[in-house]
Amino acid sequence: YSKQVEIIREIHRLLTSNLQRHYTIEELSRKYLLNTATLKSVFKAVYSQPIGAYMKEYRLRRAMELLRQGEGSIAEIAEQVGYESQGNFTEAFKTLAHIPPTEYRRRYQRTN
């Protein structure tokens, strides 16, 4: 089991190192030689969420950091965290933050 946990942590590093790349469960399963059910269950045991939900929240929390830093347009930030559509990004962002990204930036942007 500890070997599986180490593999899951390696998968986590891969997933979070390039947010523009979207991996499927099947790709990860083949790459790391884990069956899909094991991959999903161990990931959820380690990170408390299914892979898809975890990565969606991870991407949006990274977007929040970028918005607070104030660099880049909303479209550029959306692309950096793996959203091809600014509209889809805005909808996902509002679901998590309860305000649009433009309002989030206005409220929380760090002033230098």
Side-chain angles (χ1 to χ4, degrees), residues 30-61:
R30 281 192 306 274
K31 182 175 175 65
Y32 290 95
L33 305 176
L34 280 177
N35 74 50
T36 57
T38 300
L39 190 156
K40 292 191 286 188
S41 68
V42 176
F43 191 97
K44 187 172 182 178
V46 173
Y47 294 102
S48 303
Q49 286 182 299
I51 295 173
Y54 179 90
M55 285 309 299
K56 180 177 183 179
E57 186 173 326
Y58 188 94
R59 284 184 165 90
L60 294 171
R61 295 214 180 273

Side-chain angles (χ1 to χ4, degrees), residues 66-94:
L66 295 170
L67 289 164
R68 286 191 303 269
Q69 292 169 7
E71 296 175 21
S73 69
I74 303 296
E76 290 167 339
I77 289 172
E79 186 179 321
Q80 282 179 30
V81 299
Y83 282 84
E84 293 178 11
S85 158
Q86 184 178 340
N88 289 347
F89 168 72
T90 297
E91 287 308 308
F93 191 94
K94 287 192 311 193

Side-chain angles (χ1 to χ4, degrees), residues 14-15 18-25 27-28 52 55-56 59 78-84:
L14 175 71
L15 293 173
N18 179 2
L19 296 179
Q20 293 175 326
R21 175 73 161 88
H22 292 262
Y23 291 91
T24 66
I25 300 292
E27 283 178 291
L28 296 170
M55 285 309 299
K56 180 177 183 179
R59 284 184 165 90
E79 186 179 321
Q80 282 179 30
V81 299
Y83 282 84
E84 293 178 11

